[in-house]
Amino acid sequence: MKQTQMRRCVSCREIKHKSNFFRIVKLAEGKIFVDKSGKAQGRGAYVCKCEKCITEMKKRRRLDKTFKNAVSIDLYDDLVSTLSALH
Ligand SMILES: [Zn+2]
């Protein structure tokens, strides 16, 4: 496995292959969204595709710190619905 494909979860801090994560990206102009294509250019943050990590991330508002920006609660809710769409 290539090292460049490894990412760290913002919630549990575990390092895994990027296919195990949802990617949240911040574009240069400041827009923050769930990058479902995985190809958007910008600063990325990663969270495990599990309810525990997403709930924890939402509760602690982890992305605010990562992106040094107040992240809308809608984005966390979007992650929750993206996760439930997988099942
Ligand atoms: Zn995690």
Side-chain angles (χ1 to χ4, degrees):
M1 222 184 291
K2 275 187 274 174
Q3 202 62 34
T4 53
Q5 311 257 295
M6 304 304 279
R7 300 289 183 265
R8 187 197 295 266
C9 174
V10 295
S11 223
C12 66
R13 323 297 295 173
E14 259 185 68
I15 297 171
K16 292 189 273 199
H17 187 261
K18 64 179 184 181
S19 63
N20 295 295
F21 296 118
F22 286 129
R23 181 170 191 250
I24 303 100
V25 73
K26 182 183 178 186
L27 300 179
E29 73 256 31
K31 187 177 188 285
I32 301 171
F33 61 101
V34 182
D35 177 23
K36 285 159 191 160
S37 73
K39 293 188 179 89
Q41 294 290 314
R43 177 152 170 41
Y46 298 83
V47 66
C48 301
K49 291 177 179 173
C50 75
E51 210 180 327
K52 189 169 160 282
C53 284
I54 292 171
T55 306
E56 179 79 3
M57 179 179 79
K58 184 177 168 182
K59 198 166 73 185
R60 297 183 184 274
R61 309 213 49 147
R62 291 264 191 222
L63 295 175
D64 290 18
K65 205 176 224 174
T66 305
F67 292 126
K68 298 181 176 63
N69 224 314
V71 174
S72 150
I73 201 76
D74 293 350
L75 186 126
Y76 293 100
D77 289 339
D78 192 19
L79 279 169
V80 173
S81 57
T82 305
L83 178 72
S84 49
L86 291 181
H87 301 295

